[in-house]
Amino acid sequence: MRTTNQSNHHYPFTTSELNELLEQAAVALALKYKREGTFTDVANVKEYLALKLGAHEREVFAVMFLDSQHRLISFEEMFFGTIDAASVYPREVLKMALSHNAAAVIFAHNHPSGVPEPSQADKRITERLVEALKLVDIRVLDHIVVGESCVSFAEKGWI
């Protein structure tokens, strides 16, 4: 069954079909970036993460685990929250990074409100994660907040 909005425009996809399409697009981008190089270009990272996290209706905190050449080892959605918050545990991120033998990571989470401006809590947890991972020589390259657009901590000079 196709969904319609109030003005009677027909959308070509149901929500689940749209989510599946976005996931397929994200997989295609990951393969493209794996062939072409790395996730060192913030525009590539934002494009990938917008596809991976943009459609979630609740907050999701995810981590891109990267090798020493900044190629993607794994993308993991690690913590799930309410519409406006997710609890993040540095110990669990550290364990997962070590299990993937990651040399670097990029954090990401979505703001279902669509407003990508990072909160003070977002900045504090990022600082805690950077400190925890620094102890085992894993670099934090960025933290991207996904909303209607994306905000990069690295571009803002916060990492």
Side-chain angles (χ1 to χ4, degrees):
M1 181 170 153
R2 304 289 181 224
T3 57
T4 60
N5 69 13
Q6 316 246 276
S7 60
N8 212 17
H9 294 293
H10 293 278
Y11 292 109
F13 303 106
T14 64
T15 301
S16 62
E17 289 171 334
L18 180 60
N19 288 340
E20 178 63 27
L21 186 62
L22 290 172
E23 181 60 31
Q24 289 173 1
V27 168
L29 275 179
L31 290 171
K32 173 185 172 194
Y33 297 148
K34 193 170 200 169
R35 277 196 318 273
E36 293 179 1
T38 65
F39 277 103
T40 53
D41 180 345
V42 73
N44 291 351
V45 175
K46 286 179 176 180
E47 182 181 26
Y48 176 76
L49 291 171
L51 289 169
K52 293 295 276 185
L53 297 175
H56 286 295
E57 294 177 0
R58 62 182 179 151
E59 195 161 305
V60 177
F61 184 92
V63 182
M64 294 175 67
F65 296 98
L66 307 170
D67 67 13
S68 60
Q69 303 301 308
H70 301 160
R71 292 174 300 207
L72 185 64
I73 297 168
S74 181
F75 173 86
E76 304 281 345
E77 292 182 352
M78 295 193 64
F79 306 105
F80 304 89
T82 61
I83 195 164
D84 63 353
S87 295
V88 176
Y89 302 98
R91 174 188 171 99
E92 297 304 314
V93 174
L94 181 59
K95 282 174 31 182
M96 184 74 73
L98 291 171
S99 75
H100 284 302
N101 198 29
V105 296
I106 296 172
F107 303 126
H109 76 279
N110 64 316
H111 282 176
S113 67
V115 179
E117 199 55 42
S119 68
Q120 285 304 314
D122 294 338
K123 293 175 185 175
R124 279 193 303 276
I125 193 59
T126 303
E127 289 169 8
R128 289 183 60 211
L129 288 164
V130 167
E131 290 304 312
L133 292 169
K134 191 183 293 184
L135 294 172
V136 291
D137 297 322
I138 297 173
R139 289 188 55 215
V140 176
L141 301 179
D142 208 342
H143 183 162
I144 306 285
V145 181
V146 177
E148 290 178 7
S149 61
C150 295
V151 172
S152 160
F153 278 47
E155 285 182 324
K156 296 275 191 185
W158 298 337
I159 288 186

